[in-house]
Amino acid sequence: HGFLNGAHTIQRLGPDEVNDGYIYFDNNLRVKRLEESILDHLAYEIYDYTVGSWVQYDHDATKFRRRFNGRRPRLTRDSGEPQSLGVTSVEWNEHLKSYLCLLDAGRGELWLGVANTLTPFPKFNTESDGVFKVADHSTSGSSCYNQILIPQLYSSSDSVVRFACTFTSMWSENTSDEPTWTTCLFGMKFGDGCSENVGRYEYNNLVYSVDLREIYK
């Protein structure tokens, strides 16, 4: 399904969701754990914050964007308001007894947050309780996108978790709220302000480790 493009399946569910018969995705969608439902685009549901419940996915793009807690954050650094953080990956963490959420502030700035449940689906900003910045690529001027927790590389009960993201300079020149990638793509530097293309790292996945005991004490 096109609307699942880039979405990650939540592989570790908490006690409230593990037996409820749904597959959850980190882009605010869910579907019943049945083959006929997975193949039926009308069977998908999205959490609608305006009514406080899961509703049938609306295929009208305008309505979808209005309801969707988007993967790309709304950048509000200059407004004086808390910055919205996009949810990019979610996994239940037994060490914290809550969902651990990997969050994106844009341009390589990554945060962690926690949520007790997927209903309502978690929303975060930079002033939310239990939110901490864990990575910042401002020194290199590069970005790190398509972030994902990798539960295969750590035990759910372990305090150390690992996540990966794609390291790239392609958005380094752009400073608008809707980043574009063409001017700095793969170090070709068609525009001014592009960061250096780091050999062996450009557009490759980097894996990070975070000890949750250091931030959730």
Side-chain angles (χ1 to χ4, degrees), residues 72-200:
R72 174 176 291 169
R74 296 180 296 278
L75 303 180
T76 57
R77 293 185 189 277
D78 300 328
S79 67
E81 298 295 326
Q83 182 183 358
S84 175
L85 297 170
V87 178
T88 69
S89 187
V90 180
E91 298 291 346
W92 177 260
N93 185 271
E94 190 64 24
H95 174 76
L96 296 176
K97 303 294 185 184
S98 62
Y99 282 100
L100 184 66
C101 305
L102 187 59
L103 312 171
D104 178 21
R107 303 183 184 89
E109 189 175 298
L110 308 180
W111 296 58
L112 287 177
V114 292
N116 293 325
T117 180
L118 297 180
T119 304
F121 200 82
K123 295 179 71 173
F124 298 95
N125 61 53
T126 50
E127 294 186 4
S128 298
D129 291 337
V131 167
F132 297 92
K133 183 164 65 172
V134 294
D136 188 337
H137 298 84
S138 58
T139 301
S140 66
S142 293
S143 183
C144 214
Y145 81 104
N146 198 25
Q147 310 89 349
I148 184 171
L149 292 161
I150 312 177
Q152 294 86 353
L153 296 184
Y154 62 89
S155 167
S156 180
S157 59
D158 194 350
S159 65
V160 176
V161 299
R162 293 178 174 85
F163 63 89
C165 59
T166 304
F167 183 84
T168 179
S169 62
M170 65 170 59
W171 289 299
S172 55
E173 181 203 34
N174 191 280
T175 58
S176 70
D177 285 0
E178 293 294 330
T180 58
W181 49 264
T182 52
T183 54
C184 299
L185 179 62
F186 301 140
M188 290 186 284
K189 298 185 179 181
F190 292 125
D192 296 328
C194 296
S195 64
E196 289 298 320
N197 184 347
V198 182
R200 298 179 181 268

